[in-house]
Amino acid sequence: MSTREIVIHGPALTPSELPTVLTVAGSDSSGGAGIEADLKTISAHGSYGLTCITALTAQNTTGVESISFTDRATLDNILEQNFKDVKVDVVKTGLMTLDAVNALDLALSKYHVGKPLVIDPVMVASTGAQLSGEDVLKVAVEKLFKRATLITPNVPETKKLLGLYDDEFEIDGPDSMSKAARIIHEKTGCLNVLVKGGHCLEKSDNAKYLTDVLYTSANDTISIFRSTAIDSQNTHGTGCTLASAISANLASGLSLVGSIESAIRYVHSAILSAPQLGHGHGPLNHVFHISSPALSTFSVSNAPFIEGHFVDYLISHPAVKPAWNGYVNHPFVAQLAEGTLPYSSFLQFVSQDYPYLVNYARIHSIAASVAPDMACIDREIAILTEIKHELGEHAKRLAAKGVVELESLQMNATCKAYCDYLTEVAKGGDWLEINVAMSPCLLGYYQAAKNVSAKDGIRSEYKEWLDTYTSESYLGAVNKGKQTLEKHSVGISYEKAQKLVKIFADVCLLEENFWSSALHETA
């Protein structure tokens, strides 16, 4: 084991003051909307985010599975602890409950009078799930809207608000959106209303445009924000993101119009650069403009796995997985555990495994000759000792059936193809390639035996075989083999990794074929 010392010098930085935004909203377990989107957005805008989580959801990009709401006492306590300790510049709301509305109303009266409040009246998720009811909306209008600097309803939410006053009409463009914004201001007392037009796109010259309309009460002005619509499934959390971006901009001192324009540009870019995550409405890329500080100091490895996860990478690789699963869940082992495997098939396996193990020993001898260090040579010697022991056990099984001339055992076509492949790798490959080629045998026998449960009363030879490959000593050998592969795969190139993937996949298929031949042939 080697030891190295890494001296880290602190950068020349000084303490800074960050604008603060408190988000009162639900949590999205998939990370694309709610509190999670809020915090990413607030941080991406150079502000500090505080939270009060109104609900926990179990959801992903395809829908909301369940919602658990936070109780009133906990909400009161969270808000009290935040407000009494940190100066909050802006409060932003998302998914609210009756308890959350009442708790926030009390906290705002105590700590946040006359300060910016941005309300995103979340009622329905982008996946279509109902998140909040009309009863909550009514209480929020009564207790929170009159305090609001800005509310940001989309078209369906705008219609719900108008419906509270029996003043519904079709909303299909800037004129009707402007009319709705003015009415909501007059009826609810909120200062400013931004009606988002994602649900009523405009068409012009074969292009689609998204229009958001802001009504500003201080100067009785309508501002229209028009941008090119983006055809994308990655729109989960756009409303939360927009409201949080506006809040962070207000906290930083931007004007209301400037805050909204900047936020719209941010959301637009976050959609365009969105990662393809999940199978439904995917999340935005909230950090498209931010680079990791590590990238300015360290070079990025082009290896497609994280150090210490090379074996996991091999087994889970799409090119390997089918062959690996077919191998470690093979009917040969399942029948052996059930006691239904014909003994002739087991004997056929042993009669082929004996010459295979002889060749296996030869390959490990070649590996010893190209090993990079004494530790690897010692490991090859230990493996050869184990192979010799296993050959002895096979010899006993075969002798019991009258097979004593072991050198006369002939490889069938399947066994020969397997051994020829390993020999080719050993002749042309380096030590790591050889060991990767040998590893499916080591790793797979343990996994295959572990995947089954031996029934009572099966043949003693079958139980002995299963016990051997699930024993603590064999598991120790498996773990040692994994550790060796992990150590020597550090720093390999992408091209090298792909070569090793192919070798591993090829050998998994050869192992599967080996057991299949035992089922279909008799000794």
Side-chain angles (χ1 to χ4, degrees), residues 424-452:
E424 284 302 310
V425 172
K427 285 181 177 179
D430 58 24
W431 182 87
L432 182 57
E433 290 170 15
I434 296 171
N435 272 267
V436 166
M438 310 297 271
S439 64
C441 181
L442 174 69
L443 307 179
Y445 269 50
Y446 172 76
Q447 191 62 53
K450 186 184 175 186
N451 284 350
V452 298

PDB file of all heavy atoms in Angstrom, residues 424-452:
ATOM      1  N   GLU A 424      -6.343 -17.208 -27.309  1.00  0.00           N
ATOM      2  CA  GLU A 424      -6.101 -16.079 -28.209  1.00  0.00           C
ATOM      3  C   GLU A 424      -5.919 -14.782 -27.420  1.00  0.00           C
ATOM      4  O   GLU A 424      -5.040 -13.969 -27.730  1.00  0.00           O
ATOM      5  CB  GLU A 424      -7.264 -15.938 -29.200  1.00  0.00           C
ATOM      6  CG  GLU A 424      -7.250 -16.955 -30.314  1.00  0.00           C
ATOM      7  CD  GLU A 424      -5.967 -16.908 -31.122  1.00  0.00           C
ATOM      8  OE1 GLU A 424      -5.574 -15.797 -31.560  1.00  0.00           O
ATOM      9  OE2 GLU A 424      -5.344 -17.966 -31.309  1.00  0.00           O
ATOM     10  N   VAL A 425      -6.768 -14.592 -26.388  1.00  0.00           N
ATOM     11  CA  VAL A 425      -6.627 -13.394 -25.555  1.00  0.00           C
ATOM     12  C   VAL A 425      -5.278 -13.399 -24.859  1.00  0.00           C
ATOM     13  O   VAL A 425      -4.575 -12.382 -24.799  1.00  0.00           O
ATOM     14  CB  VAL A 425      -7.767 -13.309 -24.514  1.00  0.00           C
ATOM     15  CG1 VAL A 425      -7.510 -12.166 -23.521  1.00  0.00           C
ATOM     16  CG2 VAL A 425      -9.112 -13.098 -25.202  1.00  0.00           C
ATOM     17  N   ALA A 426      -4.881 -14.557 -24.322  1.00  0.00           N
ATOM     18  CA  ALA A 426      -3.620 -14.658 -23.586  1.00  0.00           C
ATOM     19  C   ALA A 426      -2.413 -14.405 -24.490  1.00  0.00           C
ATOM     20  O   ALA A 426      -1.427 -13.777 -24.068  1.00  0.00           O
ATOM     21  CB  ALA A 426      -3.514 -16.035 -22.938  1.00  0.00           C
ATOM     22  N   LYS A 427      -2.496 -14.861 -25.721  1.00  0.00           N
ATOM     23  CA  LYS A 427      -1.367 -14.682 -26.637  1.00  0.00           C
ATOM     24  C   LYS A 427      -1.203 -13.228 -27.067  1.00  0.00           C
ATOM     25  O   LYS A 427      -0.084 -12.745 -27.247  1.00  0.00           O
ATOM     26  CB  LYS A 427      -1.566 -15.563 -27.870  1.00  0.00           C
ATOM     27  CG  LYS A 427      -1.311 -17.034 -27.631  1.00  0.00           C
ATOM     28  CD  LYS A 427      -1.512 -17.820 -28.924  1.00  0.00           C
ATOM     29  CE  LYS A 427      -1.201 -19.297 -28.724  1.00  0.00           C
ATOM     30  NZ  LYS A 427      -1.428 -20.067 -29.976  1.00  0.00           N
ATOM     31  N   GLY A 428      -2.307 -12.522 -27.255  1.00  0.00           N
ATOM     32  CA  GLY A 428      -2.212 -11.167 -27.784  1.00  0.00           C
ATOM     33  C   GLY A 428      -2.518 -10.060 -26.803  1.00  0.00           C
ATOM     34  O   GLY A 428      -2.350  -8.875 -27.114  1.00  0.00           O
ATOM     35  N   GLY A 429      -2.952 -10.418 -25.596  1.00  0.00           N
ATOM     36  CA  GLY A 429      -3.390  -9.396 -24.649  1.00  0.00           C
ATOM     37  C   GLY A 429      -2.410  -9.146 -23.527  1.00  0.00           C
ATOM     38  O   GLY A 429      -1.455  -9.901 -23.332  1.00  0.00           O
ATOM     39  N   ASP A 430      -2.688  -8.075 -22.779  1.00  0.00           N
ATOM     40  CA  ASP A 430      -1.854  -7.795 -21.605  1.00  0.00           C
ATOM     41  C   ASP A 430      -2.468  -8.456 -20.378  1.00  0.00           C
ATOM     42  O   ASP A 430      -3.486  -9.163 -20.451  1.00  0.00           O
ATOM     43  CB  ASP A 430      -1.713  -6.277 -21.398  1.00  0.00           C
ATOM     44  CG  ASP A 430      -3.048  -5.575 -21.231  1.00  0.00           C
ATOM     45  OD1 ASP A 430      -4.049  -6.215 -20.832  1.00  0.00           O
ATOM     46  OD2 ASP A 430      -3.129  -4.357 -21.506  1.00  0.00           O
ATOM     47  N   TRP A 431      -1.851  -8.239 -19.220  1.00  0.00           N
ATOM     48  CA  TRP A 431      -2.276  -8.920 -18.000  1.00  0.00           C
ATOM     49  C   TRP A 431      -3.729  -8.597 -17.649  1.00  0.00           C
ATOM     50  O   TRP A 431      -4.499  -9.491 -17.270  1.00  0.00           O
ATOM     51  CB  TRP A 431      -1.349  -8.500 -16.842  1.00  0.00           C
ATOM     52  CG  TRP A 431      -1.682  -9.195 -15.552  1.00  0.00           C
ATOM     53  CD1 TRP A 431      -1.227 -10.410 -15.133  1.00  0.00           C
ATOM     54  CD2 TRP A 431      -2.542  -8.714 -14.520  1.00  0.00           C
ATOM     55  NE1 TRP A 431      -1.758 -10.727 -13.905  1.00  0.00           N
ATOM     56  CE2 TRP A 431      -2.569  -9.692 -13.503  1.00  0.00           C
ATOM     57  CE3 TRP A 431      -3.289  -7.559 -14.354  1.00  0.00           C
ATOM     58  CZ2 TRP A 431      -3.325  -9.550 -12.342  1.00  0.00           C
ATOM     59  CZ3 TRP A 431      -4.045  -7.417 -13.197  1.00  0.00           C
ATOM     60  CH2 TRP A 431      -4.059  -8.402 -12.201  1.00  0.00           C
ATOM     61  N   LEU A 432      -4.146  -7.323 -17.803  1.00  0.00           N
ATOM     62  CA  LEU A 432      -5.511  -6.953 -17.459  1.00  0.00           C
ATOM     63  C   LEU A 432      -6.515  -7.618 -18.392  1.00  0.00           C
ATOM     64  O   LEU A 432      -7.561  -8.112 -17.947  1.00  0.00           O
ATOM     65  CB  LEU A 432      -5.670  -5.430 -17.506  1.00  0.00           C
ATOM     66  CG  LEU A 432      -7.050  -4.869 -17.127  1.00  0.00           C
ATOM     67  CD1 LEU A 432      -7.450  -5.311 -15.728  1.00  0.00           C
ATOM     68  CD2 LEU A 432      -7.057  -3.351 -17.231  1.00  0.00           C
ATOM     69  N   GLU A 433      -6.209  -7.654 -19.676  1.00  0.00           N
ATOM     70  CA  GLU A 433      -7.111  -8.300 -20.629  1.00  0.00           C
ATOM     71  C   GLU A 433      -7.268  -9.784 -20.309  1.00  0.00           C
ATOM     72  O   GLU A 433      -8.375 -10.336 -20.373  1.00  0.00           O
ATOM     73  CB  GLU A 433      -6.590  -8.100 -22.049  1.00  0.00           C
ATOM     74  CG  GLU A 433      -6.700  -6.661 -22.533  1.00  0.00           C
ATOM     75  CD  GLU A 433      -5.979  -6.416 -23.844  1.00  0.00           C
ATOM     76  OE1 GLU A 433      -5.625  -7.410 -24.528  1.00  0.00           O
ATOM     77  OE2 GLU A 433      -5.747  -5.247 -24.197  1.00  0.00           O
ATOM     78  N   ILE A 434      -6.173 -10.445 -19.968  1.00  0.00           N
ATOM     79  CA  ILE A 434      -6.246 -11.868 -19.617  1.00  0.00           C
ATOM     80  C   ILE A 434      -7.122 -12.068 -18.388  1.00  0.00           C
ATOM     81  O   ILE A 434      -7.986 -12.963 -18.353  1.00  0.00           O
ATOM     82  CB  ILE A 434      -4.835 -12.441 -19.366  1.00  0.00           C
ATOM     83  CG1 ILE A 434      -3.998 -12.386 -20.643  1.00  0.00           C
ATOM     84  CG2 ILE A 434      -4.920 -13.879 -18.864  1.00  0.00           C
ATOM     85  CD1 ILE A 434      -2.526 -12.723 -20.436  1.00  0.00           C
ATOM     86  N   ASN A 435      -6.937 -11.235 -17.384  1.00  0.00           N
ATOM     87  CA  ASN A 435      -7.713 -11.410 -16.151  1.00  0.00           C
ATOM     88  C   ASN A 435      -9.184 -11.064 -16.324  1.00  0.00           C
ATOM     89  O   ASN A 435     -10.039 -11.662 -15.683  1.00  0.00           O
ATOM     90  CB  ASN A 435      -7.084 -10.602 -15.023  1.00  0.00           C
ATOM     91  CG  ASN A 435      -6.022 -11.387 -14.300  1.00  0.00           C
ATOM     92  OD1 ASN A 435      -6.289 -12.048 -13.295  1.00  0.00           O
ATOM     93  ND2 ASN A 435      -4.800 -11.358 -14.819  1.00  0.00           N
ATOM     94  N   VAL A 436      -9.475 -10.100 -17.173  1.00  0.00           N
ATOM     95  CA  VAL A 436     -10.878  -9.819 -17.479  1.00  0.00           C
ATOM     96  C   VAL A 436     -11.507 -11.021 -18.178  1.00  0.00           C
ATOM     97  O   VAL A 436     -12.654 -11.384 -17.902  1.00  0.00           O
ATOM     98  CB  VAL A 436     -11.012  -8.545 -18.330  1.00  0.00           C
ATOM     99  CG1 VAL A 436     -12.401  -8.429 -18.943  1.00  0.00           C
ATOM    100  CG2 VAL A 436     -10.729  -7.310 -17.484  1.00  0.00           C
ATOM    101  N   ALA A 437     -10.767 -11.647 -19.073  1.00  0.00           N
ATOM    102  CA  ALA A 437     -11.267 -12.831 -19.766  1.00  0.00           C
ATOM    103  C   ALA A 437     -11.531 -13.988 -18.807  1.00  0.00           C
ATOM    104  O   ALA A 437     -12.456 -14.783 -19.018  1.00  0.00           O
ATOM    105  CB  ALA A 437     -10.280 -13.255 -20.851  1.00  0.00           C
ATOM    106  N   MET A 438     -10.737 -14.079 -17.747  1.00  0.00           N
ATOM    107  CA  MET A 438     -10.895 -15.178 -16.792  1.00  0.00           C
ATOM    108  C   MET A 438     -11.941 -14.880 -15.718  1.00  0.00           C
ATOM    109  O   MET A 438     -12.413 -15.779 -15.030  1.00  0.00           O
ATOM    110  CB  MET A 438      -9.544 -15.459 -16.110  1.00  0.00           C
ATOM    111  CG  MET A 438      -8.379 -15.617 -17.061  1.00  0.00           C
ATOM    112  SD  MET A 438      -8.555 -17.007 -18.164  1.00  0.00           S
ATOM    113  CE  MET A 438      -7.819 -18.296 -17.203  1.00  0.00           C
ATOM    114  N   SER A 439     -12.305 -13.599 -15.588  1.00  0.00           N
ATOM    115  CA  SER A 439     -13.150 -13.216 -14.457  1.00  0.00           C
ATOM    116  C   SER A 439     -14.607 -13.686 -14.529  1.00  0.00           C
ATOM    117  O   SER A 439     -15.203 -13.929 -13.476  1.00  0.00           O
ATOM    118  CB  SER A 439     -13.096 -11.693 -14.257  1.00  0.00           C
ATOM    119  OG  SER A 439     -13.630 -11.011 -15.378  1.00  0.00           O
ATOM    120  N   PRO A 440     -15.238 -13.837 -15.698  1.00  0.00           N
ATOM    121  CA  PRO A 440     -16.608 -14.347 -15.675  1.00  0.00           C
ATOM    122  C   PRO A 440     -16.728 -15.710 -14.992  1.00  0.00           C
ATOM    123  O   PRO A 440     -17.728 -15.981 -14.318  1.00  0.00           O
ATOM    124  CB  PRO A 440     -16.981 -14.427 -17.163  1.00  0.00           C
ATOM    125  CG  PRO A 440     -16.179 -13.341 -17.792  1.00  0.00           C
ATOM    126  CD  PRO A 440     -14.866 -13.393 -17.064  1.00  0.00           C
ATOM    127  N   CYS A 441     -15.748 -16.551 -15.171  1.00  0.00           N
ATOM    128  CA  CYS A 441     -15.758 -17.852 -14.504  1.00  0.00           C
ATOM    129  C   CYS A 441     -15.736 -17.677 -12.996  1.00  0.00           C
ATOM    130  O   CYS A 441     -16.543 -18.269 -12.264  1.00  0.00           O
ATOM    131  CB  CYS A 441     -14.559 -18.674 -14.980  1.00  0.00           C
ATOM    132  SG  CYS A 441     -14.481 -20.313 -14.234  1.00  0.00           S
ATOM    133  N   LEU A 442     -14.826 -16.846 -12.510  1.00  0.00           N
ATOM    134  CA  LEU A 442     -14.703 -16.611 -11.066  1.00  0.00           C
ATOM    135  C   LEU A 442     -15.953 -15.950 -10.496  1.00  0.00           C
ATOM    136  O   LEU A 442     -16.548 -16.429  -9.525  1.00  0.00           O
ATOM    137  CB  LEU A 442     -13.480 -15.733 -10.797  1.00  0.00           C
ATOM    138  CG  LEU A 442     -13.286 -15.260  -9.350  1.00  0.00           C
ATOM    139  CD1 LEU A 442     -12.929 -16.432  -8.454  1.00  0.00           C
ATOM    140  CD2 LEU A 442     -12.216 -14.179  -9.278  1.00  0.00           C
ATOM    141  N   LEU A 443     -16.378 -14.861 -11.111  1.00  0.00           N
ATOM    142  CA  LEU A 443     -17.484 -14.076 -10.568  1.00  0.00           C
ATOM    143  C   LEU A 443     -18.831 -14.749 -10.794  1.00  0.00           C
ATOM    144  O   LEU A 443     -19.713 -14.712  -9.933  1.00  0.00           O
ATOM    145  CB  LEU A 443     -17.504 -12.686 -11.216  1.00  0.00           C
ATOM    146  CG  LEU A 443     -16.216 -11.864 -11.184  1.00  0.00           C
ATOM    147  CD1 LEU A 443     -16.427 -10.536 -11.893  1.00  0.00           C
ATOM    148  CD2 LEU A 443     -15.757 -11.632  -9.747  1.00  0.00           C
ATOM    149  N   GLY A 444     -18.988 -15.357 -11.967  1.00  0.00           N
ATOM    150  CA  GLY A 444     -20.290 -15.891 -12.342  1.00  0.00           C
ATOM    151  C   GLY A 444     -20.695 -17.134 -11.581  1.00  0.00           C
ATOM    152  O   GLY A 444     -21.884 -17.321 -11.286  1.00  0.00           O
ATOM    153  N   TYR A 445     -19.741 -17.994 -11.240  1.00  0.00           N
ATOM    154  CA  TYR A 445     -20.097 -19.215 -10.502  1.00  0.00           C
ATOM    155  C   TYR A 445     -20.669 -18.860  -9.130  1.00  0.00           C
ATOM    156  O   TYR A 445     -21.633 -19.483  -8.673  1.00  0.00           O
ATOM    157  CB  TYR A 445     -18.873 -20.133 -10.365  1.00  0.00           C
ATOM    158  CG  TYR A 445     -18.740 -21.123 -11.497  1.00  0.00           C
ATOM    159  CD1 TYR A 445     -18.802 -20.693 -12.826  1.00  0.00           C
ATOM    160  CD2 TYR A 445     -18.573 -22.477 -11.262  1.00  0.00           C
ATOM    161  CE1 TYR A 445     -18.688 -21.593 -13.874  1.00  0.00           C
ATOM    162  CE2 TYR A 445     -18.460 -23.392 -12.303  1.00  0.00           C
ATOM    163  CZ  TYR A 445     -18.527 -22.942 -13.606  1.00  0.00           C
ATOM    164  OH  TYR A 445     -18.430 -23.837 -14.641  1.00  0.00           O
ATOM    165  N   TYR A 446     -20.083 -17.855  -8.497  1.00  0.00           N
ATOM    166  CA  TYR A 446     -20.618 -17.432  -7.196  1.00  0.00           C
ATOM    167  C   TYR A 446     -22.027 -16.880  -7.355  1.00  0.00           C
ATOM    168  O   TYR A 446     -22.947 -17.249  -6.618  1.00  0.00           O
ATOM    169  CB  TYR A 446     -19.711 -16.377  -6.557  1.00  0.00           C
ATOM    170  CG  TYR A 446     -20.318 -15.757  -5.314  1.00  0.00           C
ATOM    171  CD1 TYR A 446     -20.342 -16.452  -4.115  1.00  0.00           C
ATOM    172  CD2 TYR A 446     -20.892 -14.491  -5.369  1.00  0.00           C
ATOM    173  CE1 TYR A 446     -20.917 -15.902  -2.976  1.00  0.00           C
ATOM    174  CE2 TYR A 446     -21.475 -13.925  -4.239  1.00  0.00           C
ATOM    175  CZ  TYR A 446     -21.481 -14.636  -3.039  1.00  0.00           C
ATOM    176  OH  TYR A 446     -22.071 -14.090  -1.928  1.00  0.00           O
ATOM    177  N   GLN A 447     -22.225 -16.005  -8.347  1.00  0.00           N
ATOM    178  CA  GLN A 447     -23.529 -15.381  -8.532  1.00  0.00           C
ATOM    179  C   GLN A 447     -24.590 -16.402  -8.919  1.00  0.00           C
ATOM    180  O   GLN A 447     -25.721 -16.362  -8.430  1.00  0.00           O
ATOM    181  CB  GLN A 447     -23.452 -14.288  -9.589  1.00  0.00           C
ATOM    182  CG  GLN A 447     -24.689 -13.410  -9.654  1.00  0.00           C
ATOM    183  CD  GLN A 447     -24.934 -12.656  -8.369  1.00  0.00           C
ATOM    184  OE1 GLN A 447     -24.061 -11.975  -7.856  1.00  0.00           O
ATOM    185  NE2 GLN A 447     -26.136 -12.806  -7.829  1.00  0.00           N
ATOM    186  N   ALA A 448     -24.218 -17.336  -9.789  1.00  0.00           N
ATOM    187  CA  ALA A 448     -25.175 -18.354 -10.224  1.00  0.00           C
ATOM    188  C   ALA A 448     -25.606 -19.247  -9.057  1.00  0.00           C
ATOM    189  O   ALA A 448     -26.793 -19.560  -8.906  1.00  0.00           O
ATOM    190  CB  ALA A 448     -24.560 -19.195 -11.338  1.00  0.00           C
ATOM    191  N   ALA A 449     -24.644 -19.651  -8.241  1.00  0.00           N
ATOM    192  CA  ALA A 449     -24.974 -20.499  -7.085  1.00  0.00           C
ATOM    193  C   ALA A 449     -25.775 -19.730  -6.042  1.00  0.00           C
ATOM    194  O   ALA A 449     -26.669 -20.280  -5.392  1.00  0.00           O
ATOM    195  CB  ALA A 449     -23.691 -21.059  -6.473  1.00  0.00           C
ATOM    196  N   LYS A 450     -25.476 -18.441  -5.918  1.00  0.00           N
ATOM    197  CA  LYS A 450     -26.194 -17.613  -4.950  1.00  0.00           C
ATOM    198  C   LYS A 450     -27.638 -17.362  -5.382  1.00  0.00           C
ATOM    199  O   LYS A 450     -28.524 -17.158  -4.546  1.00  0.00           O
ATOM    200  CB  LYS A 450     -25.463 -16.279  -4.792  1.00  0.00           C
ATOM    201  CG  LYS A 450     -26.026 -15.377  -3.703  1.00  0.00           C
ATOM    202  CD  LYS A 450     -25.300 -14.039  -3.673  1.00  0.00           C
ATOM    203  CE  LYS A 450     -25.943 -13.096  -2.658  1.00  0.00           C
ATOM    204  NZ  LYS A 450     -25.354 -11.751  -2.706  1.00  0.00           N
ATOM    205  N   ASN A 451     -27.876 -17.379  -6.686  1.00  0.00           N
ATOM    206  CA  ASN A 451     -29.202 -17.067  -7.217  1.00  0.00           C
ATOM    207  C   ASN A 451     -30.221 -18.181  -6.993  1.00  0.00           C
ATOM    208  O   ASN A 451     -31.406 -17.985  -7.255  1.00  0.00           O
ATOM    209  CB  ASN A 451     -29.127 -16.766  -8.722  1.00  0.00           C
ATOM    210  CG  ASN A 451     -28.559 -15.389  -9.003  1.00  0.00           C
ATOM    211  OD1 ASN A 451     -28.391 -14.574  -8.106  1.00  0.00           O
ATOM    212  ND2 ASN A 451     -28.221 -15.125 -10.265  1.00  0.00           N
ATOM    213  N   VAL A 452     -29.773 -19.337  -6.548  1.00  0.00           N
ATOM    214  CA  VAL A 452     -30.688 -20.471  -6.360  1.00  0.00           C
ATOM    215  C   VAL A 452     -30.659 -20.925  -4.900  1.00  0.00           C
ATOM    216  O   VAL A 452     -29.748 -20.573  -4.144  1.00  0.00           O
ATOM    217  CB  VAL A 452     -30.324 -21.650  -7.280  1.00  0.00           C
ATOM    218  CG1 VAL A 452     -30.440 -21.254  -8.731  1.00  0.00           C
ATOM    219  CG2 VAL A 452     -28.902 -22.161  -6.993  1.00  0.00           C
TER     220      VAL A 452
END
